[in-house]
Amino acid sequence: MRNRLIVAVAVVAAAIAGAGAPTVMAASEQLNDSQNLVTLAQRTQEALTLAHALADERDDVTTYIAAGRPKSKAPSEQRSARVDRQVTELRADEDASPVLLTDLDGIGAVRRAALTGNSGALETHEAYSAVITGLHGLAEDLAERLPPRAGPGAHSLAELDSAVQQSAAARGLLLAALDIPRTTRTVIDPLTGLPTTTSSSSAAGAKQRDALSAAAQQARLRSDAALADFRETAPKAAKTSYDSTVTGPDVTTADKYLARLTDQPTFSDGELDTSAKKADAALSARVELMRGAEASLYEHRTKGLELLRDDDVTALEVRIALIGALLLVAVGVSMAMARTLTRPLAVLRIGSARLAADPAAGEPVRFTGRNDEFAQVVRSVNALHAHAAGLHERLTPLEADRKHLVGQRRLMADERDRLRAELAQAASHLEQVRGTIHGTFVNLALRTLGLVERQLGVIEGLEEREQDPERLGTLFKLDHFATVMRRHSENLLVLAGHEHVQHHTGPVPLVDVVRAAVSEIERYERVRIAALPPHAHLAGYAADDLSHLLAELMENASSFSPPDLPVEVSGWLLESGEVMLSVQDEGIGMAAERMTQLNARLSAFDPDDAYDQESGEGLGLGLYVVARLAHRHGVRVQLREQKQGGTAAVVVLPKTLLSASPA
């Protein structure tokens, strides 16, 4: 009976829930769409910020190439670093589209082609602009997906971004055209006898300037057209915000420069004498004001979308609350009706509880009603009572068995305590043995180091006296092998947790530390040192440990890559003041799961962990030594997969290990 009533109530509840499910699903889908729009708006802001930074880098590189690649106008590394940092932030978005990721992957190739290739200024400008156009596609996508309830002017901000990008393009093209080298010479007028100074360019330079100025004129026209479309489609508040931001003397001066320099596809002789520095200042100020207005409008749009999302959340909560209230009312009424049917069952429940309290002495339940379901239940309870009485008679012998089992359990508990004591004693003995082994390692390693140092001294003496080139080469090999043996002996000290280094009294140049690491590996001739941060010095107390750490990474790179391919070591200075070093090989790499395990062990290394061989999740000897040395000095080490194949080991040196170069 109770089950039937429960089923009836459940059916009523399910009917109400089923009737309200469509409206809840519709509200949930609308909320999901709103949240996706908010996410897309935020991603669009990040992409446009990257596009602005990339446009500034493009203009620097274009001007640098047009000027003939002089060192004085080399592109700013800070701008490139800012672009790379923003690219990394965008790539961290797991929901980024494949098209956006492809555009981000192409930025590095465009930069390398511009700085190391033979392409001209206009070709470089077009290559950068193609990537910027791809980033602008997010603004178009956002405009297409905006619902009517988001307000008018869906495409206005996309048009404004086009105007901003084209204004920046016109600035870069004009500055590049003005920076094309010209030669100046003085000619004596045959009639007046007075000297006249003239400036001219080569035929190739003049042709390149004309192409750049024509492209600048087209960019200016596209910017004006996009700005006109923005004014036509944007709401009044957006136009007012733009007009109040993009104004002032800098904007007026920039408009004059644009009107004078882009009125014709080519420059006149008078326009060639325009100051590139002043033009850059005015045009850049105008572009920055336009970017500020665009950022403000996009921020306003994002907040509006967030308000729409909050309204959708409220609507969904209201619908759920209404359905919940209806469900509670229906269930309450159904339960009240069911209660009128369950009251006869209460009598039977009370009688059954009385019998259950004392099955041996309790009396059977008496039922004088009609022969229905209740009578059948009473007969079943009485049958259970008879069975319980029989079980009570068997309880006495079972109680004796229970006491016996309790005694056995106490014996087992005593045995368990004894085994625990033996286990603690064995652990203590194991720790003592481990300490003895570590002491043996230290003693053996120190003896070996002493012999190796003496051997190196003997070999160096032989090298100084040897004149035969062939025997001298053999001595050099012996010297190198002894150096490798010294590193292996130091590995034993690291495994034993013993610190045995010779501290330098002063700062040590980073390049000397890297070279010392190269000299300590077996295949040193395969290592190629690329660019390193100039004037970078390390603290003397950490120089030997860091050299040992780099040597182990180079040894792994040379061991797990083809013998005919080089191992490259490079480094650069981060904005945080830290120094990042990279040891790259071109081997077959490793499985992603294995790399994840190794990086987890390197980042969360515990110096109390014992060394485990390279099997399963073990680090192996080389990486174990690297992890212990990195933990000793607060150095971060991470393995990364390279796109062109192979593995890169990245080492980040904290500022505490860096030292100012000696005067």
Side-chain angles (χ1 to χ4, degrees):
M1 179 65 72
R2 179 176 298 176
N3 292 337
R4 295 175 184 176
L5 295 176
I6 292 175
V7 170
V9 174
V11 169
V12 173
I16 295 176
T23 183
V24 173
M25 292 296 296
S28 178
E29 292 177 358
Q30 188 171 2
L31 173 60
N32 183 59
D33 293 340
S34 301
Q35 180 59 51
N36 290 338
L37 286 176
V38 172
T39 303
L40 180 58
Q42 295 171 348
R43 188 182 302 135
T44 301
Q45 287 183 274
E46 296 176 356
L48 294 183
T49 302
L50 172 61
H52 297 334
L54 193 60
D56 293 338
E57 179 182 335
R58 174 197 61 192
D59 295 346
D60 277 356
V61 175
T62 303
T63 304
Y64 168 67
I65 295 175
R69 290 184 166 88
K71 292 184 178 179
S72 59
K73 293 190 176 184
S76 172
E77 294 183 359
Q78 294 181 349
R79 286 184 173 174
S80 299
R82 182 179 64 178
V83 170
D84 293 339
R85 183 174 63 254
Q86 293 173 351
V87 167
T88 302
E89 293 175 355
L90 273 177
R91 288 187 64 86
D93 187 356
E94 297 179 355
D95 297 329
S97 64
V99 177
L100 176 61
L101 295 178
T102 302
D103 292 336
L104 296 178
D105 292 338
I107 291 177
V110 170
R111 181 186 296 158
R112 289 192 297 272
L115 296 178
T116 62
N118 297 322
S119 58
L122 185 57
E123 290 80 359
T124 299
H125 185 276
E126 292 174 348
Y128 270 99
S129 298
V131 179
I132 294 174
T133 302
L135 296 174
H136 172 71
L138 284 179
E140 295 289 350
D141 186 22
L142 177 62
E144 292 292 338
R145 294 175 60 179
L146 284 177
R149 63 194 183 100
H155 289 272
S156 60
L157 291 189
E159 297 295 342
L160 177 59
D161 183 66
S162 296
V164 173
Q165 300 298 348
Q166 293 300 325
S167 296
R171 174 194 64 181
L173 291 168
L174 288 174
L175 295 177
L178 291 174
D179 279 344
I180 291 179
R182 291 189 297 163
T183 58
T184 303
R185 64 177 182 175
T186 303
V187 180
I188 303 299
D189 192 327
L191 298 178
T192 63
L194 297 176
T196 302
T197 302
T198 60
S199 298
S200 62
S201 302
S202 63
K207 182 178 179 180
Q208 186 179 18
R209 182 187 299 112
D210 293 342
L212 291 171
S213 61
Q217 185 187 41
Q218 295 176 2
R220 188 268 176 94
L221 294 176
R222 286 193 292 267
S223 175
D224 292 344
L227 194 57
D229 292 339
F230 164 73
R231 293 184 179 278
E232 182 178 353
T233 59
K236 182 178 180 181
K239 291 186 287 187
T240 302
S241 176
Y242 176 83
D243 292 337
S244 62
T245 302
V246 186
T247 185
D250 291 334
V251 176
T252 304
T253 304
D255 290 337
K256 291 180 180 179
Y257 275 116
L258 289 173
R260 183 163 60 90
L261 296 176
T262 61
D263 58 343
Q264 297 293 330
T266 59
F267 290 163
S268 63
D269 294 339
E271 293 171 348
L272 291 176
D273 295 331
T274 302
S275 173
K277 184 175 181 181
K278 294 181 179 180
D280 182 18
L283 294 176
S284 297
R286 179 176 180 269
V287 169
E288 291 301 325
L289 290 175
M290 294 178 69
R291 289 175 177 174
E294 179 190 16
S296 176
L297 292 176
Y298 263 106
E299 185 68 24
H300 179 72
R301 169 170 288 178
T302 302
K303 291 181 178 179
L305 293 175
E306 290 175 349
L307 290 177
L308 288 180
R309 178 198 59 194
D310 295 340
D311 292 341
D312 292 340
V313 171
T314 303
L316 178 61
E317 292 175 346
V318 169
R319 295 183 184 185
I320 293 176
L322 289 176
I323 294 175
L326 291 176
L327 185 61
L328 290 176
V329 171
V331 171
V333 173
S334 300
M335 292 297 294
M337 296 298 295
R339 184 177 178 81
T340 61
L341 299 177
T342 58
R343 286 180 178 177
L345 296 176
V347 177
L348 182 59
R349 179 178 58 82
I350 294 173
S352 300
R354 184 176 67 248
L355 294 176
D358 190 359
E363 298 180 356
V365 179
R366 296 180 180 181
F367 182 70
T368 58
R370 59 184 179 178
N371 189 16
D372 54 7
E373 291 89 348
F374 292 101
Q376 185 178 358
V377 172
V378 169
R379 287 191 291 270
S380 299
V381 170
N382 289 333
L384 290 175
H385 172 265
H387 182 66
L391 293 177
H392 182 72
E393 295 177 356
R394 298 173 53 190
L395 181 62
T396 302
L398 291 177
E399 182 67 21
D401 293 340
R402 186 186 68 82
K403 292 180 178 180
H404 175 71
L405 291 176
V406 169
Q408 292 296 324
R409 186 177 64 180
R410 290 178 179 176
L411 292 177
M412 293 178 64
D414 295 339
E415 185 68 17
R416 182 187 59 187
D417 294 339
R418 186 182 64 81
L419 291 176
R420 285 181 176 176
E422 292 181 357
L423 180 61
Q425 183 178 2
S428 176
H429 180 67
L430 179 61
E431 187 65 25
Q432 182 179 2
V433 171
R434 183 180 298 172
T436 302
I437 294 175
H438 283 186
T440 304
F441 274 11
V442 172
N443 189 13
L444 179 59
L446 291 177
R447 291 186 180 184
T448 305
L449 279 175
L451 291 176
V452 170
E453 293 294 345
R454 291 167 58 189
Q455 182 180 0
L456 285 173
V458 172
I459 293 175
E460 289 176 359
L462 293 175
E463 288 174 351
E464 293 176 357
R465 296 191 299 271
E466 185 58 53
Q467 300 298 326
D468 188 295
E470 183 175 354
R471 285 198 294 264
L472 186 59
T474 303
L475 290 175
F476 285 157
K477 290 183 179 180
L478 291 176
D479 191 338
H480 179 67
F481 289 156
T483 303
V484 175
M485 290 173 59
R486 179 177 60 189
R487 178 169 60 85
H488 292 331
S489 298
E490 291 175 350
N491 283 347
L492 288 177
L493 293 177
V494 174
L495 289 178
H498 184 76
E499 182 177 357
H500 178 74
V501 293
Q502 297 178 355
H503 294 171
H504 298 271
T505 57
V508 180
L510 177 61
V511 65
D512 291 346
V513 174
V514 175
R515 288 172 178 170
V518 173
S519 68
E520 291 184 356
I521 70 172
E522 184 175 353
R523 303 171 184 86
Y524 64 92
E525 69 280 355
R526 289 178 51 198
V527 179
R528 180 167 60 87
I529 300 177
L532 292 174
H535 310 300
H537 285 67
L538 298 178
Y541 68 88
D544 286 347
D545 279 348
L546 295 179
S547 175
H548 191 175
L549 183 149
L550 292 174
E552 292 296 335
L553 293 177
M554 296 177 192
E555 186 71 43
N556 282 349
S558 62
S559 299
F560 295 102
S561 61
D564 56 340
L565 295 178
V567 174
E568 182 175 302
V569 181
S570 57
W572 54 92
L573 183 64
L574 302 179
E575 291 185 355
S576 61
E578 298 175 323
V579 171
M580 178 180 289
L581 300 176
S582 175
V583 180
Q584 304 176 1
D585 63 69
E586 300 181 15
I588 61 175
M590 65 178 66
E593 182 179 359
R594 176 60 176 163
M595 183 173 292
T596 301
Q597 292 176 352
L598 292 179
N599 283 330
R601 290 289 302 274
L602 290 172
S603 61
F605 179 75
D606 186 356
D608 294 332
D609 289 345
Y611 164 67
D612 49 356
Q613 295 183 354
E614 191 170 358
S615 60
E617 298 183 356
L619 284 174
L621 177 59
L623 289 181
Y624 181 84
V625 172
V626 169
R628 185 170 284 277
L629 293 176
H631 182 272
R632 181 180 297 174
H633 295 289
V635 177
R636 302 193 300 276
V637 181
Q638 186 181 29
L639 302 179
R640 297 179 181 176
E641 181 182 0
Q642 299 194 99
K643 295 181 180 178
Q644 67 274 17
T647 305
V650 177
V651 180
V652 179
L653 305 179
K655 292 193 295 184
T656 56
L657 296 183
L658 303 179
S659 177
S661 58

